[in-house]
Amino acid sequence: MLKSVALLAALFLTIQAANYCMKDKELSENEFFDQVQGTIFANQQNRVVAIECPDPKDNSTCLYIVDRIGYLKDGSWFVGRFLTPVPDLTKGFLSVSKLVKPVFKSMSTIDTATWMVDVGTMDAMTPNSVELSSLFTTGHFEMNRDVSGNITFLGVATGGLMSFFSTYFKNLKLTGIDIDPQSEYLAKKWFGYRDTKNSKILIGDGAEHIVEMARRGETSDAVLVDACHNHAPPDGIYCPVEAVRTPEFLKSLSAVIGTKGTF
Ligand SMILES: *[C@@H]1O[C@H](CO)[C@@H](O)[C@H](O)[C@H]1NC(C)=O
Ligand SMILES: *[C@@H]1O[C@H](CO)[C@@H](O)[C@H](O)[C@H]1NC(C)=O
């Protein structure tokens, strides 16, 4: 124990020394904010961090990773990350996460594109939050972090809800199915999602997955459906997609959740 503390201290000193050598001066909270706001955000509130186009020949498939500076009532600030279909936030957003501010504040850490995602924090006003809380407020799951069982996610978006569950509920087995491989890619690249022993993302047709589960007689304690179009579909109905509105799907769903499951 002592040895590892000493080792850590040595490592810390080495890192500090390296930073010193690189003239990477530690900035005060205010200096750091000024650099993030001025240099990285060019004094705007939002900025596009990346444009992700799964089909480079069809720009209507592009989604934007947008970081935005936010303020709390106590005057402190944070950075949120959004996934949106347009370069600004005028058309709403598909998902939002909070970023972790770097511990060592310097010129080399001002770029929010390199910050980690705080997967253990969720905005209470989002659909994810409603899905999460309703599993407990309805009495479906006991209000206890040791609760065990399994959840099937049809559509994983950026993996935010799965990440949150896997951070706090170690005894829940989580399976996400998404028809769009881009979801898993975005979840891992920009939104901090990691597969774990209890949390996996599969690429495939979620509706088909439920039909297959029913056929095999498998059950799930909860099936959460977040299967939506990313861009406006011709009929204007974003959610849920057609495949999870068919009688065959609903019949299978009913078998999969049984009398004790929830949807
Ligand atoms: C698609 O977007 C890229 C990058 O934003 C741009 O360079 C390109 O010209 C666009 N292509 C079309 C067909 O609009
Ligand atoms: C989910 O958990 C239930 C019991 O809570 C179990 O009967 C079922 O087999 C599990 N399903 C999967 C896919 O692990």
Side-chain angles (χ1 to χ4, degrees):
M1 180 62 194
L2 262 179
K3 205 168 173 183
S4 63
V5 168
L7 235 150
L8 266 178
L11 187 65
F12 183 69
L13 284 174
T14 311
I15 292 169
Q16 292 284 318
N19 282 325
Y20 181 74
C21 290
M22 281 155 47
K23 299 243 180 327
D24 196 7
K25 190 164 78 67
E26 184 154 18
L27 300 175
S28 71
E29 178 71 23
N30 283 342
E31 289 167 334
F32 187 68
F33 174 76
D34 289 346
Q35 287 298 337
V36 171
Q37 166 82 90
T39 308
I40 300 298
F41 281 78
N43 291 315
Q44 306 295 305
Q45 199 169 5
N46 300 335
R47 72 173 186 120
V48 174
V49 175
I51 308 174
E52 296 282 4
C53 307
D55 180 356
K57 290 200 208 77
D58 177 3
N59 275 8
S60 72
T61 61
C62 297
L63 292 172
Y64 297 80
I65 314 297
V66 172
D67 284 357
R68 179 180 174 89
I69 299 182
Y71 302 90
L72 298 176
K73 285 206 183 95
D74 67 5
S76 63
W77 63 284
F78 64 95
V79 174
R81 172 164 298 163
F82 297 81
L83 182 69
T84 91
V86 292
D88 52 37
L89 294 171
T90 54
K91 289 249 171 90
F93 51 88
L94 304 166
S95 123
V96 57
S97 295
K98 187 169 177 244
L99 303 185
V100 184
K101 281 199 233 174
V103 175
F104 186 74
K105 298 181 169 59
S106 74
M107 288 307 287
S108 68
T109 58
I110 56 175
D111 186 354
T112 59
T114 65
W115 294 9
M116 307 249 282
V117 176
D118 177 2
V119 294
T121 295
M122 185 183 285
D123 186 323
M125 300 301 283
T126 57
N128 274 353
S129 235
V130 176
E131 287 194 75
L132 169 85
S133 56
S134 62
L135 284 175
F136 297 91
T137 54
T138 55
H140 179 65
F141 283 135
E142 202 184 317
M143 213 156 315
N144 181 338
R145 277 173 51 186
D146 294 329
V147 65
S148 64
N150 49 58
I151 309 180
T152 308
F153 301 77
L154 304 189
V156 303
T158 55
L161 187 52
M162 291 181 74
S163 295
F164 189 90
F165 269 114
S166 86
T167 302
Y168 295 112
F169 299 90
K170 301 293 183 199
N171 300 328
L172 286 177
K173 186 169 161 253
L174 315 170
T175 308
I177 299 106
D178 207 296
I179 200 161
D180 183 0
Q182 186 77 354
S183 264
E184 183 183 14
Y185 163 80
L186 294 175
K188 289 181 173 167
K189 175 149 190 213
W190 293 110
F191 292 90
Y193 172 83
R194 298 282 169 267
D195 276 344
T196 66
K197 178 162 69 58
N198 286 332
S199 180
K200 299 269 182 291
I201 294 180
L202 312 173
I203 302 305
D205 182 330
E208 202 42 51
H209 182 82
I210 293 296
V211 172
E212 284 302 317
M213 279 181 81
R215 212 168 273 158
R216 291 194 298 261
E218 289 173 14
T219 60
S220 181
D221 299 317
V223 175
L224 303 183
V225 179
D226 185 11
C228 301
H229 293 283
N230 290 340
H231 297 273
D235 63 5
I237 303 174
Y238 276 84
C239 293
V241 296
E242 300 74 12
V244 296
R245 290 188 243 141
T246 68
E248 190 198 12
F249 169 78
L250 294 173
K251 200 162 154 246
S252 300
L253 176 68
S254 167
V256 166
I257 62 176
T259 51
K260 295 213 182 92
T262 192
F263 152 66

